[in-house]
Amino acid sequence: MLSQAIPSISWTNSRLLAPGEFPGTLSRASSFDRILHSEEGLCISHHGYADAAFRVEGFSHNCVSIQLAGRARHTRQVGACQGSGTSVAGKVFATSAMTPIAWSWNSAAEMINVWITPERLNHDLVEDGDPDRGPAELVDRFCIDDPLLAQLGVALRAQGGEPRPFCRMMLAGLVSTLVAHIGQHHSNRGAATLAARSGGLPPAHLKLVLDHIDAHLGEEIGLDELAALTGKSACHFLRCFKQSTGIAPHRYVTQRRVDHACALLVAAELSLVEIALACGFADQSHFGRVFRRERDLTPMAYRRQSTH
């Protein structure tokens, strides 16, 4: 969605901005800014933003922002791309390095920022992939749902607090999962990698189908509906989808519904009935049965475990 004009504020500087310098560019100071973790080529920061705006010539790192709390209306321009939308807990933004940015939001929001240099992203994602396909690059995202990143954001916040047993080991595991997930879902090496299997869907068709599923998790999603997006018959689409992803469409949809439910259980104060309906389950009982089968926990047990 095209945005209204970005509020008029001056460009902060004419060089690329490092993660630690970012809070100083905001038009209003945050209630807190802290570094949770830092290593070669990667930094994770935690912020309590006020309503604010900034303009910079670009970040030195790619930045994936995970909203943990708050509700805000965003207006953002990255390069020539401009958009606006309302974010709540669980929403995700991805901003490429070395691209001019102008961004504003109208209310307080708690965020986790994952900063990763282009060199580190390329090293981590190409290491296990095909080095002949060119460098790995972050794909721009604006105010999207990503249940797994939402959960990882909550977990990173918890590990970044008071020291806990095995904290370093936990952080290493979270970082590995996070970078792998960014590679699969938010880089130019994601859907194309899945579709590269012989007989699978073309990358553009696969992305279209996966985005459609994520955008309609609260609704009934039929095989014919998904097949129509690719122009294939239901039977042909079923074979191609399974070849691309390794699982049948209905199984993939179920997994995404459960992933979304996990994010809502952690990040939102919704009842189980509300979460069940928001994720496309028939009722609370159906939600409970499927969730327990997939996670080996009841929804309430998962909520208690994730918030303590």
Side-chain angles (χ1 to χ4, degrees), residues 47-132:
H47 307 272
Y49 294 134
D51 56 303
F54 71 94
R55 286 178 182 264
V56 296
E57 289 291 347
F59 293 143
S60 60
H61 293 51
N62 297 306
C63 182
V64 176
S65 302
I66 306 165
Q67 185 159 335
L68 301 183
R71 180 184 181 89
R73 178 74 177 175
H74 294 258
T75 302
R76 187 186 72 153
Q77 182 171 342
V78 179
C81 299
Q82 193 169 339
S84 66
T86 300
S87 69
V88 294
K91 291 293 185 180
V92 171
F93 303 82
T95 307
S96 297
M98 299 180 285
T99 307
I101 310 161
W103 196 341
S104 68
W105 52 94
N106 68 354
S107 187
E110 182 185 359
M111 290 274 195
I112 291 283
N113 285 342
V114 179
W115 307 85
I116 182 166
T117 62
E119 296 79 12
R120 169 70 185 268
L121 184 70
N122 187 62
H123 175 271
D124 287 1
L125 298 186
V126 174
E127 182 96 349
D128 296 325
D130 179 4
D132 297 327

Side-chain angles (χ1 to χ4, degrees), residues 176-288:
S176 295
T177 301
L178 187 147
V179 174
H181 183 77
I182 290 173
Q184 286 185 343
H185 297 277
H186 305 296
S187 83
N188 61 342
R189 305 181 72 84
T193 301
L194 292 174
R197 301 178 186 177
S198 176
L201 291 169
H205 283 179
L206 181 60
K207 182 178 186 305
L208 183 65
V209 170
L210 300 186
D211 287 349
H212 181 85
I213 289 171
D214 281 349
H216 296 85
L217 288 175
E219 307 166 21
E220 184 176 346
I221 302 174
L223 181 63
D224 289 339
E225 174 186 347
L226 298 178
L229 295 173
T230 68
K232 301 181 185 299
S233 69
C235 289
H236 189 196
F237 169 77
L238 179 61
R239 289 195 300 272
C240 290
F241 186 93
K242 191 168 184 178
Q243 187 67 27
S244 291
T245 65
I247 57 176
H250 74 275
R251 179 75 181 130
Y252 179 86
V253 171
T254 297
Q255 289 180 355
R256 294 300 290 154
R257 292 194 199 281
V258 172
D259 286 343
H260 188 41
C262 287
L264 293 179
L265 286 166
V266 173
E269 295 182 359
L270 298 176
S271 69
L272 295 187
V273 172
E274 290 172 316
I275 292 175
L277 297 179
C279 295
F281 296 100
D283 50 38
Q284 182 177 336
S285 177
H286 179 219
F287 170 45

